[in-house]
Amino acid sequence: MNVGFEIAGEPVYQALVWAGLQMTVRIAVFSYLLAFLIGNVIAAMRVSPVPILRRIGAIYTVYFRNTPLIVLAILFWVGGGRAGWPFGRVTTAIVVLGMYTGAYIAESLRSGINAVPPGQAEAARAIGLPFTGVVGRIVLPQAIRTVIPPLGNLWIANLKNTSVFLVIGINELTRSGYRIGLDSSRYVAALSIVGVVYLLLVYGSAQVIKLLERRLEIAR
């Protein structure tokens, strides 16, 4: 059976895969940066002494962790567009994925905060630091180092979740594979090639995460 892997040598298809790869990495990087920012804010709200902030943080986390990403993508793009959502497809993907992954990062950071000895926060308060200073300068930096492995896993999940945005017409890696399959009638070969590219991306990310984990590991 001829699966058709010779399409890998076609310049036009190589260009499509390269363009899809660049778009996937672009969405993944910017959405993760946004998610990290959101995660820090939500985690701080979750441990805040102010009850209303804890409640808002909890509602945010529950909503985004329990709503499928594909539903959020369609909701923001279609529903948001009708409500005057001002951004294009790529920005929408970055915002939606950032908010979605941010909920998971917040929970990872919260578990890291719980691992920081309470005496350090008490000592910081004793020298007069406000709550934002205690969390931002003392607790969160240590919590982040504690949860490097789960943050790395969330990066990998974030990277693969970019494929969801083919439903709103973004030419990321998976949609590039679909377009190649549609054009060449070699769906198996096209999606197998795309799968290999994802594998290389994830494997490379895992190696970087291991390196960071070794460098930032807290000696106990």
Side-chain angles (χ1 to χ4, degrees):
M1 183 177 68
N2 182 14
V3 178
F5 282 110
E6 64 273 10
I7 62 172
E10 294 287 338
V12 63
Y13 296 147
Q14 290 174 354
L16 271 176
V17 171
W18 175 242
L21 172 61
Q22 290 182 83
M23 181 58 73
T24 288
V25 171
R26 178 181 168 192
I27 294 173
V29 168
F30 284 107
S31 63
Y32 194 79
L33 290 174
L34 177 62
F36 191 74
L37 177 63
I38 291 173
N40 275 270
V41 172
I42 298 298
M45 291 171 70
R46 295 275 277 152
V47 298
S48 166
V50 182
I52 185 65
L53 292 181
R54 289 201 302 273
R55 175 64 64 181
I56 293 171
I59 291 171
Y60 179 94
T61 303
V62 168
Y63 177 75
F64 280 96
R65 292 185 71 189
N66 291 284
T67 306
L69 180 57
I70 193 168
V71 172
L72 292 171
I74 296 171
L75 180 64
F76 271 72
W77 179 244
V78 179
R82 290 176 181 171
W85 179 253
F87 302 115
R89 296 175 196 273
V90 175
T91 304
T92 299
I94 291 170
V95 170
V96 171
L97 189 53
M99 295 176 76
Y100 178 82
T101 306
Y104 288 89
I105 288 181
E107 285 304 281
S108 292
L109 289 176
R110 194 162 69 94
S111 67
I113 289 173
N114 291 333
V116 176
Q120 299 203 20
E122 292 169 2
R125 282 195 294 270
I127 62 174
L129 280 180
F131 173 76
T132 53
V134 173
V135 173
R137 297 173 61 181
I138 305 296
V139 177
L140 272 178
Q142 295 184 73
I144 291 169
R145 292 178 66 183
T146 303
V147 295
I148 290 293
L151 290 181
N153 290 336
L154 287 174
W155 157 254
I156 289 173
N158 190 71
L159 180 62
K160 292 188 288 187
N161 280 339
T162 56
S163 62
V164 165
F165 296 100
L166 71 85
V167 299
I168 63 171
I170 293 179
N171 290 319
E172 42 66 59
L173 194 51
T174 301
R175 193 163 191 265
S176 294
Y178 176 75
R179 290 174 63 193
I180 294 170
L182 187 66
D183 184 68
S184 65
S185 299
R186 301 290 188 181
Y187 284 100
V188 173
L191 293 176
S192 296
I193 292 167
V194 164
V196 170
V197 177
Y198 274 116
L199 175 64
L200 294 173
L201 277 176
V202 171
Y203 181 77
S205 296
Q207 299 311 305
V208 173
I209 292 164
K210 284 181 181 177
L211 180 64
L212 285 174
E213 191 178 345
R214 284 197 295 270
R215 285 180 177 272
L216 299 176
E217 184 180 18
I218 297 176
R220 299 183 185 280

